[in-house]
Amino acid sequence: MDAFMMIQRKKVTIFTDAKDNILVHELKKMISRILKVAPQNQQLFYKDEIMDENKTLSDCGLNATIAKAQSPALVGLALRMDDGEFEPLELIPYSSPPELPYVMKNQETNGQEPPM
């Protein structure tokens, strides 16, 4: 089954899907084709734990029941720095749109009063 993922590093986000029985190393290869960064220079995180590249996505907790198309699983990505160490994981949250003005909220309900 397909596991849908949102791979995020700083302000970069990659949406992808993969079979949940592939190795984490194969996912790193997919990322390397997009970002042009070798798999050995990538570190993936799921639920604040480093993903072992010799395990399958399912072994790491990513499967089709958890990582759905409408709510993909968040996978963190850290890259190796020049000194050989991996950078700290940094996920920059998206900004939220401002709240709608009252006048526009009425338009969403087509001018009807909300039910009480």
Side-chain angles (χ1 to χ4, degrees), residues 7-75:
I7 302 165
Q8 192 172 7
R9 174 185 175 258
K10 297 184 180 182
K11 291 185 177 182
V12 175
T13 303
I14 301 168
F15 288 92
T16 190
D17 66 306
K19 299 289 182 197
D20 58 9
N21 61 353
I22 69 164
L23 294 176
V24 171
H25 184 73
E26 293 300 315
L27 178 60
K28 287 183 173 185
K29 285 182 182 179
M30 292 170 61
I31 295 168
S32 73
R33 290 191 284 275
I34 296 167
L35 297 180
K36 310 295 186 225
V37 175
Q40 64 269 22
N41 294 330
Q42 302 172 28
Q43 195 171 53
L44 296 177
F45 294 82
Y46 179 61
K47 293 188 175 179
D48 295 325
E49 291 188 21
I50 297 173
M51 297 172 70
D52 181 350
E53 65 178 36
N54 297 315
K55 290 186 175 181
T56 65
L57 295 179
S58 185
D59 291 340
C60 294
L62 291 166
N63 56 46
T65 56
I66 293 171
K68 300 177 183 175
Q70 64 272 24
S71 60
L74 177 63
V75 175

